[in-house]
Amino acid sequence: MEDAVLGRAARLWALLDEMAENQPQAYRRLLREQRAQAERFCARPEPRLCVRTLPAAGERHPGLCPARGAACAPLFVNVCGWRRVPGPAELRASIPVVAGPLEEATGGGDSYSVIDIAYNPDVLQMREENPEAMEHLIHLTLKFVEEQHNLILSHSYKIESFKLKGSPERMWQRLKGGQLPPPHLGQNTEKELTLDQLLHSIEAEDRSDAPVLLKEESITQSEVQLIEEISSTEVPEELSTPAYKMTTVRDANNKPVRIELKVELPKVSSVSECDLRISKDDVIIDVPEKYKLQLDLPELVDEEMTTAVFNKEKGVLFITAPVAKPGQ
């Protein structure tokens, strides 16, 4: 199994290397597109609404009702949109969800509990336009919380005027605790693997990690909804800054002609590991879990005519960027 995965990965790297050498403009375009997609995917969750509820009458829970005779603390459910969470594969398919831990907190002298629930933003947007569908999703969310934490909650709830209970940073820390299973490549052979298939195979095809499915009777007879729990992905943070040398080449009249950049990447074995983005005034090199470099260019350049060559033996990336003509 492991050998098969390594074999598919090797074919993928070889395809990207070939593309970088033979179709450099298409390769740069691919990197820019993937970079934009990665930025959307790695964006932090955005609060959309906060639901306040209580344990059902007569029910007790150590966190929500700590002492007999004492008033039960409210539970706040922060519902947020997160691009990291995939949308359902089909209209009536299960709805993936990422859930943070149930956490006790205090504020203003009062005790309460809070939990964060994240859906794909499109899931929420579709239901924000349909109050009945949103109500159904809230009921499913509360049912999911009950199942996960052995609670019985009141059937009544209140949507608060604020969108988030607590701070965005704390919500982010709670949600990013787990890790998504790695994406799986398709079964295509090297000859069958076209660029379009490559882009789709990089996406997560199998996101199930012993998923928990929650089913509740739908509000409308024509619709049955499922919630599927997945875990979140931790994004690596601290990356090394590689050694580099940037030179401005000038003509006989001391006019800048091109920018030459040499970047040492000794831990990189293939150009396919490098995410290179070049604009008119800066360059960004990102090698996941290894390097990160962002430089302002001394002159405006023609990014469409920029070339990049990676020397595998030396582990050095050479970038040549022609200086843009006036008015370009």
Side-chain angles (χ1 to χ4, degrees), residues 195-265:
L195 177 59
D196 184 67
Q197 291 168 330
L198 170 64
L199 294 178
H200 285 83
S201 67
I202 292 175
E203 298 175 356
E205 296 174 351
D206 181 7
R207 299 176 185 270
S208 60
D209 184 16
V212 178
L213 296 182
L214 172 64
K215 181 176 180 180
E216 181 189 59
E217 295 78 31
S218 60
I219 293 177
T220 60
Q221 295 182 353
S222 62
E223 182 182 31
V224 175
Q225 294 283 358
L226 296 174
I227 287 184
E228 173 185 355
E229 183 184 22
I230 63 176
S231 55
S232 62
T233 301
E234 184 118 21
V235 179
E237 295 183 354
E238 302 267 340
L239 297 177
S240 301
T241 301
Y244 67 91
K245 179 180 179 181
M246 184 160 52
T247 305
T248 301
V249 179
R250 300 176 180 273
D251 61 13
N253 298 321
N254 202 33
K255 180 181 178 181
V257 177
R258 64 181 180 274
I259 306 297
E260 295 181 349
L261 178 61
K262 174 184 176 183
V263 184
E264 298 181 9
L265 305 170

Side-chain angles (χ1 to χ4, degrees), residues 36-48 80-88 96 98 117-126 172 175 180 203-204 207 230-233:
Q37 180 179 348
E39 288 176 349
R40 291 193 299 269
F41 181 75
C42 293
R44 292 195 175 193
E46 297 182 0
R48 303 292 279 268
C80 62
W82 200 9
R83 283 292 172 193
R84 185 171 296 179
V85 183
V98 169
I117 302 292
Y119 294 104
N120 182 279
D122 294 339
V123 171
L124 296 174
Q125 183 174 354
M126 290 176 59
W172 166 241
L175 282 174
L180 276 172
E203 298 175 356
R207 299 176 185 270
I230 63 176
S231 55
S232 62
T233 301

Side-chain angles (χ1 to χ4, degrees), residues 152-306:
I152 300 180
L153 299 174
S154 170
H155 288 194
S156 63
Y157 63 86
K158 175 187 177 183
I159 299 179
E160 298 286 0
S161 58
F162 49 84
K163 296 182 178 181
L164 175 67
K165 184 67 173 180
S167 69
E169 183 64 29
R170 185 59 190 154
M171 177 185 68
W172 166 241
Q173 292 296 328
R174 288 190 294 256
L175 282 174
K176 73 171 187 175
Q179 186 167 357
L180 276 172
H184 292 68
L185 294 177
Q187 301 298 321
N188 308 71
T189 63
E190 183 175 0
K191 293 183 179 179
E192 295 171 337
L193 189 59
T194 64
L195 177 59
D196 184 67
Q197 291 168 330
L198 170 64
L199 294 178
H200 285 83
S201 67
I202 292 175
E203 298 175 356
E205 296 174 351
D206 181 7
R207 299 176 185 270
S208 60
D209 184 16
V212 178
L213 296 182
L214 172 64
K215 181 176 180 180
E216 181 189 59
E217 295 78 31
S218 60
I219 293 177
T220 60
Q221 295 182 353
S222 62
E223 182 182 31
V224 175
Q225 294 283 358
L226 296 174
I227 287 184
E228 173 185 355
E229 183 184 22
I230 63 176
S231 55
S232 62
T233 301
E234 184 118 21
V235 179
E237 295 183 354
E238 302 267 340
L239 297 177
S240 301
T241 301
Y244 67 91
K245 179 180 179 181
M246 184 160 52
T247 305
T248 301
V249 179
R250 300 176 180 273
D251 61 13
N253 298 321
N254 202 33
K255 180 181 178 181
V257 177
R258 64 181 180 274
I259 306 297
E260 295 181 349
L261 178 61
K262 174 184 176 183
V263 184
E264 298 181 9
L265 305 170
K267 297 180 182 179
V268 176
S269 58
S270 170
V271 68
S272 59
E273 297 180 54
C274 302
D275 185 352
L276 174 62
R277 185 175 64 176
I278 299 175
S279 67
K280 289 184 177 294
D281 56 6
D282 73 349
V283 57
I284 298 175
I285 301 173
D286 189 3
V287 182
E289 300 182 6
K290 295 180 181 179
Y291 299 109
K292 175 85 173 186
L293 178 65
Q294 180 171 2
L295 296 174
D296 292 330
L297 299 175
E299 305 287 343
L300 296 181
V301 301
D302 183 352
E303 66 266 36
E304 294 299 327
M305 297 301 295
T306 297

Side-chain angles (χ1 to χ4, degrees), residues 29-41:
R29 183 168 60 253
L30 170 63
L31 291 183
R32 287 196 295 268
E33 292 172 353
Q34 291 299 304
R35 175 76 182 193
Q37 180 179 348
E39 288 176 349
R40 291 193 299 269
F41 181 75

